[in-house]
Amino acid sequence: MSRIVVVGSGIVGLAVAARLARRGDQVVVLEKEDDIALHQTGRNSGVIHSGLYYAPGSLKARLSAAGARSIRAYAQEHGITTVPTGKLVVATDAQQLPGLRRLAERAAQNGVAATTLTPAEAREHEPHVACVAALHVPSTGIVDYVGVCRALVREVEAADGELRLSEAFVSARPEGTGVVVETSRGTVRADALVNCAGLQSDRVAQASGLEPEARIVPFRGEYFELVPERSYLVNGLIYPVPDPRFPFLGVHLTKTTEGGVHAGPNAVLALAREGYRWRTVDVHDVVDSLSWPGLWRLGVKNVVPGAKEVLRSVSRRTFAASLAELVPAVRVQDLVPAPAGVRAQAMKRDGSMVDDFLVQRAPRQVHVLNAPSPAATASLEIAAHLEREVDAVLA
Ligand SMILES: Cc1cc2nc3c(=O)[nH]c(=O)nc-3n(C[C@H](O)[C@H](O)[C@H](O)COP(=O)(O)OP(=O)(O)OC[C@H]3O[C@@H](n4cnc5c(N)ncnc54)[C@H](O)[C@@H]3O)c2cc1C
């Protein structure tokens, strides 16, 4: 039995904590907030991704396809709401057809069942959609990720693990064959540390003596909801054909587990890592982002699409127009603001986004340095991967 400190009570931290607790390790989860899942995990689209988009053989492709199955099974076993909605990716003009074809090929490479549909066939699933062709992915669904997190906490506590809320990780250093962790409340000695701090993961790594090869750049995603009387416009999930230059999927319409319809998210550079509104500015975070050369390189390459995202952020009308490309009946007056999320996207010095999940080891330490979407879907499989990493640093 080992004593393991896990930093962060998002779904990745809790999934690995529960996995280690189940096998008998003594687990302490540190969470700086006064509740679990207050950042990415509690502010996402709630989608169980099927593994459609990701480079074949990548961790994302492998862990999300398996993760979609395991998270659905976990939700069913623990009485958490999950709905097998299926999803349509829609090409709204002929120029998008090659992109849709590439996606169909990738689905085949990743072993994800997907059928190309005519507009009439697409409307059998989503009567209000507009398209020239669509890809139907039946295995995509939705789940209550915060409900999953609460079940994971129950497992940790049932195995005598501890969740310490309002206790922040401050630093870590090696000591003998273990690690000493300083927190906002004191000192914790452990055999190993697992960093699952999401938006703060590069800082937690640095405060543990590691120089991460990539930095977190925060991208805020704003959401709206369809007013309840218009939620009949969407049955399941409707996505655009993604722009292959970006790691984000484009604004989409998703049914929620409460029966509403979420619209979004867009992607704008956030002025604070945990900044959920335009007016939230953290000078330290802004300086950090701007002093990373990669961000400038990305900005120069993407002036036009970046400006479009900003416009969509400040103008509800432009946001509605993007949604109306998918479902023409959506009007600006159908949208009411919903809470935003911020994605932790790791970026290299040269401006390239780290596409795959990224885990880095140090003596007695395992750091999750990039766990963007679909990490919620893949969380139980990421936990299995991290368990092997923990065993490697304990050996
Ligand atoms: C807008 C948006 C939409 C998304 N949609 C989907 C989707 O539909 N499907 C999907 O699979 N994925 C989706 N994702 C991605 C998914 O939500 C994330 O990949 C996943 O939640 C990451 O979980 P995490 O545990 O790594 O991070 P988080 O949930 O961010 O948790 C990190 C935790 O670490 C804590 N922490 C940070 N620093 C410290 C410290 N110093 N001490 C103690 N605690 C600390 C934080 O408070 C936080 O609780 C989306 C993400 C966003 C932002």
Side-chain angles (χ1 to χ4, degrees):
M1 182 190 80
S2 302
R3 183 168 164 81
I4 316 278
V5 169
V6 176
V7 184
S9 71
I11 198 162
V12 175
L14 291 173
V16 68
R19 191 164 181 110
L20 295 173
R22 257 180 242 134
R23 74 177 195 180
D25 286 335
Q26 195 192 344
V27 178
V28 177
V29 181
L30 300 177
E31 172 53 59
K32 66 182 170 66
E33 306 292 351
D34 62 5
D35 200 358
I36 61 165
L38 289 184
H39 294 292
Q40 296 177 91
T41 300
R43 292 171 166 272
N44 67 24
S45 299
V47 175
I48 301 180
H49 287 292
S50 51
L52 178 66
Y53 300 99
Y54 318 114
S58 63
L59 270 180
K60 270 190 181 176
R62 287 191 282 126
L63 301 185
S64 66
R69 291 187 288 275
S70 52
I71 200 99
R72 194 170 279 129
Y74 188 88
Q76 281 162 354
E77 192 186 323
H78 290 83
I80 297 153
T81 312
T82 178
V83 186
T85 51
K87 145 171 163 175
L88 281 188
V89 183
V90 299
T92 54
D93 63 44
Q95 283 178 341
Q96 296 175 1
L97 289 174
L100 197 71
R101 267 196 298 276
R102 276 195 298 276
L103 214 50
E105 284 161 16
R106 190 152 267 195
Q109 286 165 327
N110 287 338
V112 176
T115 315
T116 303
L117 304 180
T118 62
E121 288 167 336
R123 280 192 293 275
E124 285 172 22
H125 296 279
E126 294 288 353
H128 302 279
V129 86
C131 65
V132 294
L135 198 63
H136 181 239
V137 189
S139 58
T140 310
I142 51 176
V143 69
D144 168 11
Y145 282 120
V146 176
V148 170
C149 287
R150 300 217 181 280
L152 291 166
V153 170
R154 285 195 291 277
E155 283 199 84
V156 170
E157 292 180 338
D160 290 332
E162 276 180 79
L163 167 65
R164 297 194 187 172
L165 296 174
S166 306
E167 182 163 351
F169 165 96
V170 176
S171 66
R173 60 178 193 280
E175 188 186 72
T177 57
V179 60
V180 181
V181 180
E182 300 297 342
T183 79
S184 53
R185 296 196 170 184
T187 303
V188 187
R189 289 189 156 71
D191 298 303
L193 168 81
V194 187
N195 163 12
C196 304
L199 286 153
Q200 311 292 343
S201 55
D202 54 345
R203 290 177 176 163
V204 167
Q206 281 178 308
S208 308
L210 195 84
E211 197 41 57
E213 61 190 65
R215 291 292 158 77
I216 293 296
V217 176
F219 285 93
R220 196 176 60 251
E222 281 130 358
Y223 284 101
F224 288 90
E225 264 167 47
L226 292 191
V227 290
E229 57 275 24
R230 300 286 280 173
S231 57
Y232 72 89
L233 291 173
V234 178
N235 285 335
L237 312 180
I238 306 174
Y239 280 65
V241 177
D243 181 334
R245 290 171 300 168
F246 300 109
F248 311 126
L249 299 179
V251 291
H252 40 266
L253 290 150
T254 51
K255 201 93 186 168
T256 67
T257 50
E258 293 91 39
V261 176
H262 239 159
N266 59 353
V268 288
L269 183 69
L271 301 178
R273 288 197 181 195
E274 293 165 4
Y276 297 106
R277 295 157 192 248
W278 264 117
R279 61 176 180 269
T280 312
V281 179
D282 181 313
V283 176
H284 175 46
D285 289 350
V286 175
V287 170
D288 233 20
S289 291
L290 295 182
S291 61
W292 188 238
L295 186 67
W296 291 97
R297 296 199 174 107
L298 178 83
V300 169
K301 275 193 275 176
N302 294 292
V303 173
V304 174
K308 276 191 192 156
E309 288 296 322
V310 172
L311 183 62
R312 201 152 49 188
S313 170
V314 294
S315 159
R316 190 180 304 192
R317 193 166 293 282
T318 310
F319 205 107
S322 302
L323 297 169
E325 286 176 22
L326 309 173
V327 176
V330 172
R331 303 158 309 177
V332 67
Q333 61 267 36
D334 297 332
L335 302 181
V336 286
V342 178
R343 306 170 182 86
Q345 174 60 51
M347 185 188 284
K348 291 192 186 150
R349 199 169 266 281
D350 65 4
S352 57
M353 309 269 199
V354 179
D355 193 39
D356 209 355
F357 299 143
L358 178 65
V359 178
Q360 210 172 322
R361 277 187 222 158
R364 298 277 163 166
Q365 300 175 11
V366 176
H367 297 271
V368 180
L369 297 175
N370 195 45
S373 186
T377 302
S379 52
L380 299 176
E381 302 304 318
I382 294 176
H385 181 76
L386 293 177
E387 180 186 14
R388 292 189 287 276
E389 297 287 307
V390 167
D391 286 341
V393 298
L394 287 174

